[in-house]
mmCIF file of all heavy atoms in Angstrom:
data_model
loop_
_atom_site.group_PDB
_atom_site.id
_atom_site.type_symbol
_atom_site.label_atom_id
_atom_site.label_comp_id
_atom_site.label_asym_id
_atom_site.label_seq_id
_atom_site.Cartn_x
_atom_site.Cartn_y
_atom_site.Cartn_z
ATOM 1 N N ALA A 1022 -49.546 238.381 120.160
ATOM 2 C CA ALA A 1022 -50.709 239.050 120.750
ATOM 3 C C ALA A 1022 -50.306 239.843 121.982
ATOM 4 O O ALA A 1022 -50.773 240.974 122.196
ATOM 5 C CB ALA A 1022 -51.775 238.018 121.103
ATOM 6 N N ARG A 1023 -49.435 239.273 122.808
ATOM 7 C CA ARG A 1023 -48.980 239.982 124.004
ATOM 8 C C ARG A 1023 -48.194 241.233 123.623
ATOM 9 O O ARG A 1023 -48.402 242.319 124.186
ATOM 10 C CB ARG A 1023 -48.111 239.064 124.858
ATOM 11 C CG ARG A 1023 -47.765 239.656 126.228
ATOM 12 C CD ARG A 1023 -46.643 238.885 126.895
ATOM 13 N NE ARG A 1023 -45.373 239.085 126.211
ATOM 14 C CZ ARG A 1023 -44.614 240.173 126.350
ATOM 15 N NH1 ARG A 1023 -45.010 241.178 127.118
ATOM 16 N NH2 ARG A 1023 -43.478 240.275 125.694
ATOM 17 N N ILE A 1024 -47.300 241.107 122.650
ATOM 18 C CA ILE A 1024 -46.496 242.226 122.180
ATOM 19 C C ILE A 1024 -47.401 243.340 121.651
ATOM 20 O O ILE A 1024 -47.215 244.518 121.963
ATOM 21 C CB ILE A 1024 -45.527 241.758 121.072
ATOM 22 C CG1 ILE A 1024 -44.421 240.888 121.665
ATOM 23 C CG2 ILE A 1024 -44.932 242.949 120.323
ATOM 24 C CD1 ILE A 1024 -43.614 240.152 120.611
ATOM 25 N N THR A 1025 -48.380 242.961 120.837
ATOM 26 C CA THR A 1025 -49.294 243.948 120.262
ATOM 27 C C THR A 1025 -50.026 244.709 121.357
ATOM 28 O O THR A 1025 -50.187 245.936 121.287
ATOM 29 C CB THR A 1025 -50.303 243.261 119.324
ATOM 30 O OG1 THR A 1025 -49.581 242.580 118.286
ATOM 31 C CG2 THR A 1025 -51.260 244.263 118.703
ATOM 32 N N GLY A 1026 -50.454 244.001 122.380
ATOM 33 C CA GLY A 1026 -51.129 244.648 123.497
ATOM 34 C C GLY A 1026 -50.231 245.623 124.236
ATOM 35 O O GLY A 1026 -50.667 246.711 124.639
ATOM 36 N N GLU A 1027 -48.968 245.270 124.395
ATOM 37 C CA GLU A 1027 -48.024 246.150 125.076
ATOM 38 C C GLU A 1027 -47.783 247.429 124.279
ATOM 39 O O GLU A 1027 -47.740 248.527 124.834
ATOM 40 C CB GLU A 1027 -46.696 245.422 125.296
ATOM 41 C CG GLU A 1027 -46.736 244.361 126.380
ATOM 42 C CD GLU A 1027 -46.983 244.954 127.755
ATOM 43 O OE1 GLU A 1027 -46.370 245.980 128.074
ATOM 44 O OE2 GLU A 1027 -47.818 244.399 128.497
ATOM 45 N N ILE A 1028 -47.636 247.294 122.975
ATOM 46 C CA ILE A 1028 -47.414 248.473 122.133
ATOM 47 C C ILE A 1028 -48.647 249.363 122.142
ATOM 48 O O ILE A 1028 -48.555 250.589 122.244
ATOM 49 C CB ILE A 1028 -47.065 248.050 120.691
ATOM 50 C CG1 ILE A 1028 -45.777 247.231 120.675
ATOM 51 C CG2 ILE A 1028 -46.907 249.283 119.798
ATOM 52 C CD1 ILE A 1028 -45.491 246.583 119.340
ATOM 53 N N ARG A 1029 -49.831 248.742 122.059
ATOM 54 C CA ARG A 1029 -51.076 249.505 122.089
ATOM 55 C C ARG A 1029 -51.206 250.278 123.404
ATOM 56 O O ARG A 1029 -51.569 251.455 123.422
ATOM 57 C CB ARG A 1029 -52.256 248.548 121.918
ATOM 58 C CG ARG A 1029 -53.597 249.232 121.770
ATOM 59 C CD ARG A 1029 -54.734 248.218 121.749
ATOM 60 N NE ARG A 1029 -54.575 247.238 120.692
ATOM 61 C CZ ARG A 1029 -54.464 245.923 120.910
ATOM 62 N NH1 ARG A 1029 -54.474 245.465 122.147
ATOM 63 N NH2 ARG A 1029 -54.349 245.091 119.901
ATOM 64 N N LYS A 1030 -50.873 249.613 124.509
ATOM 65 C CA LYS A 1030 -50.940 250.251 125.827
ATOM 66 C C LYS A 1030 -49.999 251.452 125.895
ATOM 67 O O LYS A 1030 -50.363 252.510 126.423
ATOM 68 C CB LYS A 1030 -50.574 249.228 126.909
ATOM 69 C CG LYS A 1030 -50.595 249.786 128.318
ATOM 70 C CD LYS A 1030 -50.188 248.721 129.331
ATOM 71 C CE LYS A 1030 -50.111 249.287 130.733
ATOM 72 N NZ LYS A 1030 -49.661 248.273 131.711
ATOM 73 N N LYS A 1031 -48.798 251.298 125.349
ATOM 74 C CA LYS A 1031 -47.825 252.395 125.361
ATOM 75 C C LYS A 1031 -48.358 253.619 124.608
ATOM 76 O O LYS A 1031 -48.238 254.741 125.075
ATOM 77 C CB LYS A 1031 -46.512 251.923 124.736
ATOM 78 C CG LYS A 1031 -45.421 252.996 124.718
ATOM 79 C CD LYS A 1031 -44.152 252.478 124.051
ATOM 80 C CE LYS A 1031 -44.331 252.347 122.560
ATOM 81 N NZ LYS A 1031 -43.054 252.036 121.860
ATOM 82 N N HIS A 1032 -48.972 253.378 123.444
ATOM 83 C CA HIS A 1032 -49.506 254.492 122.666
ATOM 84 C C HIS A 1032 -50.700 255.138 123.347
ATOM 85 O O HIS A 1032 -50.857 256.358 123.315
ATOM 86 C CB HIS A 1032 -49.884 254.000 121.271
ATOM 87 C CG HIS A 1032 -48.721 253.880 120.340
ATOM 88 N ND1 HIS A 1032 -48.091 254.967 119.798
ATOM 89 C CD2 HIS A 1032 -48.054 252.795 119.863
ATOM 90 C CE1 HIS A 1032 -47.088 254.576 119.029
ATOM 91 N NE2 HIS A 1032 -47.047 253.256 119.054
ATOM 92 N N LEU A 1033 -51.553 254.340 123.966
ATOM 93 C CA LEU A 1033 -52.695 254.889 124.678
ATOM 94 C C LEU A 1033 -52.243 255.768 125.844
ATOM 95 O O LEU A 1033 -52.796 256.848 126.076
ATOM 96 C CB LEU A 1033 -53.591 253.761 125.178
ATOM 97 C CG LEU A 1033 -54.457 253.079 124.117
ATOM 98 C CD1 LEU A 1033 -55.056 251.795 124.666
ATOM 99 C CD2 LEU A 1033 -55.555 254.011 123.606
ATOM 100 N N GLU A 1034 -51.234 255.321 126.555
ATOM 101 C CA GLU A 1034 -50.718 256.105 127.676
ATOM 102 C C GLU A 1034 -50.121 257.414 127.201
ATOM 103 O O GLU A 1034 -50.317 258.473 127.817
ATOM 104 C CB GLU A 1034 -49.678 255.286 128.450
ATOM 105 C CG GLU A 1034 -50.289 254.139 129.248
ATOM 106 C CD GLU A 1034 -49.235 253.226 129.857
ATOM 107 O OE1 GLU A 1034 -48.045 253.359 129.488
ATOM 108 O OE2 GLU A 1034 -49.603 252.379 130.707
ATOM 109 N N ALA A 1035 -49.398 257.370 126.088
ATOM 110 C CA ALA A 1035 -48.801 258.595 125.541
ATOM 111 C C ALA A 1035 -49.881 259.565 125.072
ATOM 112 O O ALA A 1035 -49.752 260.785 125.242
ATOM 113 C CB ALA A 1035 -47.865 258.240 124.384
ATOM 114 N N ALA A 1036 -50.951 259.022 124.504
ATOM 115 C CA ALA A 1036 -52.021 259.887 123.986
ATOM 116 C C ALA A 1036 -52.772 260.594 125.097
ATOM 117 O O ALA A 1036 -53.352 261.666 124.886
ATOM 118 C CB ALA A 1036 -52.995 259.047 123.163
#
Side-chain angles (χ1 to χ4, degrees):
R1023 189 194 69 78
I1024 289 168
T1025 301
E1027 287 295 316
I1028 299 170
R1029 187 186 303 120
K1030 179 181 176 182
K1031 181 182 72 172
H1032 280 287
L1033 284 167
E1034 289 172 349

